[in-house]
Amino acid sequence: MASWAPWLLSPQFSWNPERDCYTDVALPLYENLNIVEQPVNLSGLARKYLEKAVAFIEQASTSGRPFLLYMGLAHMHVPLSVTPPLENPGSQRPYRASLQEMDSLVGQIKDKVDHMAKENTLLWITGDNGPWAQKCELAGSVGPFFGLWQTHQGGSSAKQTTWEGGHRVPALAYWPGRVPANATSTALLSMLDIFPTAIALAGASLPPNRNFDGLDVSEVLFGRSQVGHRVLFHPNSGAAGEYGGLQTVRLDHHKAFYITGGAKACDGSTGPEQLHASPLIFNLEDDAAEAAPLQRGSPEYQAVLPKVTRVLADVLQDIADDNSSRADYSQDPSVTPCCSPSQIACRCQTV
């Protein structure tokens, strides 16, 4: 992979949970490692995405070199914006309008790839989490993944939770002649798989000095396999437990919760944090809505419990033994995302 050009919004700084906003500095727009606009102008963002992506694809294709283009679209995240602004805002809901704009944007990038490098380019599209329920009509839908057990306890089972509505997202792959058209896979995949799959398709090797949780899933993408992950872990995402802690386990079609809690819902309610020494276990094959956990005395529960206990212990040991490091950038003022550190206001415009 000769080069890459990420364009993304990076809001990861100074979070104030009481005000539901980021403080201290305005939201920046990055191109690779450089801030090119701060604060970002959302009304012109789609145009910038398209212009940069098309120019990059043209340059890379003309050079004949392999390329990787990562685009972290801001679409479908609050605040929603549409370019140009709706002439009659009351005639169309903002979520639908933003979704249509994103669809058009992705379509135009696909058309450019089809024109320049159709035979040897993979397009892989996915989301990062479920809908942000507290934003109500601006949040989207969980589809059939209601997390009913949690909603009956209180709060939302969408973003910031480890229920299916919080972590389960759609994915699309496009590569004419390689990825079968009009096909759907039930294989369990993760965004952790993107890196090792891209490395494998490029004919390269992963660094040997650490473990990787992702898999090369190219055989699944190409329709030659329905086997993905047997085990996945859903890190705590804000609604309950220590952020990033591993207390929810997916094992084949079973899912075990050692902790539960509801995120803030549209009506402002939340669900209490509850620890489960004997985990709640759901059979997602029969209960995608996570409405009724298995009875703890049932043969199915008793058969699954020791397997879940073992894989959880194994992954925690694997993390403890791995060659990994941690950094808390929130404590280092030198990494504050500000395009002009000498200016308190952090304002710049280079695009």
Side-chain angles (χ1 to χ4, degrees):
M1 303 292 179
S3 58
W4 63 305
W7 269 64
L8 63 155
L9 294 175
S10 181
Q12 298 177 0
F13 49 87
S14 297
W15 171 252
N16 183 338
E18 297 301 320
R19 296 178 56 198
D20 287 345
C21 64
Y22 296 93
T23 60
D24 299 343
V25 295
L27 190 69
L29 176 67
Y30 279 84
E31 181 177 5
N32 293 322
L33 299 179
N34 301 315
I35 296 175
V36 295
E37 187 176 71
Q38 189 174 19
V40 60
N41 178 8
L42 294 176
S43 66
L45 190 55
R47 175 184 54 80
K48 295 187 181 94
Y49 279 138
L50 182 60
E51 291 174 352
K52 287 290 183 176
V54 166
F56 178 81
I57 293 168
E58 289 178 344
Q59 179 184 13
S61 299
T62 301
S63 72
R65 301 172 64 191
F67 66 88
L68 170 65
L69 171 64
Y70 166 74
M71 294 185 63
L73 300 179
H75 287 75
M76 314 326 302
H77 196 290
V78 177
L80 300 174
S81 64
V82 180
T83 308
L86 296 175
E87 294 182 4
N88 182 5
S91 65
Q92 188 174 359
R93 293 183 176 181
Y95 190 91
R96 179 178 179 181
S98 185
L99 185 61
Q100 288 180 330
E101 180 180 81
M102 183 180 71
D103 179 72
S104 175
L105 171 62
V106 173
Q108 291 178 78
I109 294 171
K110 170 191 167 294
D111 290 344
K112 175 57 64 173
V113 169
D114 283 346
H115 178 68
M116 302 291 298
K118 184 175 183 178
E119 296 78 16
N120 59 357
T121 303
L122 168 67
L123 274 68
W124 198 342
I125 305 165
T126 187
D128 60 349
N129 49 249
W132 199 0
Q134 71 184 78
K135 299 303 179 181
C136 303
E137 71 275 5
L138 304 180
S141 169
V142 295
F145 309 110
F146 298 112
L148 292 176
W149 186 93
Q150 180 58 62
T151 58
H152 291 156
Q153 303 290 314
S156 162
S157 60
K159 179 179 177 178
Q160 299 178 324
T161 79
T162 55
W163 298 95
E164 291 294 278
H167 277 210
R168 189 165 181 161
V169 295
L172 299 171
Y174 174 80
W175 189 350
R178 300 293 297 275
V179 175
N182 301 317
T184 301
S185 173
T186 58
L188 183 61
L189 306 184
S190 165
M191 280 192 286
L192 296 172
D193 302 329
I194 295 176
F195 178 63
T197 302
I199 292 294
L201 291 175
S205 300
L206 292 169
N209 63 338
R210 63 176 60 241
N211 297 329
F212 291 87
D213 295 316
L215 304 174
D216 170 13
V217 296
S218 54
E219 292 295 292
V220 176
L221 297 180
F222 299 154
R224 296 194 288 260
S225 173
Q226 287 290 325
V227 179
H229 289 264
R230 178 172 176 262
V231 177
L232 275 181
F233 293 88
H234 299 272
N236 297 338
S237 302
E242 179 185 5
Y243 198 93
L246 300 181
Q247 294 176 278
T248 305
V249 184
R250 174 74 181 267
L251 176 62
D252 294 323
H253 56 270
H254 289 99
K255 187 174 176 185
F257 291 81
Y258 288 86
I259 193 169
T260 55
K264 184 181 289 187
C266 178
D267 63 4
S269 66
T270 59
E273 177 179 304
Q274 299 182 54
L275 293 171
H276 306 280
S278 297
L280 302 180
I281 300 180
F282 295 83
N283 184 332
L284 297 182
E285 192 171 62
D286 301 329
D287 183 17
E290 295 171 304
L294 301 176
Q295 294 295 320
R296 288 187 170 91
S298 69
E300 186 177 2
Y301 185 96
Q302 293 300 319
V304 173
L305 179 60
K307 298 176 184 178
V308 167
T309 303
R310 184 165 57 252
V311 297
L312 178 58
D314 288 346
V315 75
L316 293 176
Q317 188 61 52
D318 179 66
I319 293 171
D321 295 341
D322 195 17
N323 176 26
S324 60
S325 60
R326 299 181 66 177
D328 184 0
Y329 292 113
S330 68
Q331 303 302 315
D332 186 351
S334 67
V335 298
T336 299
C338 183
C339 60
S340 181
S342 62
Q343 298 182 17
I344 297 176
C346 294
R347 297 290 188 268
C348 64
Q349 179 78 36
T350 62
V351 295

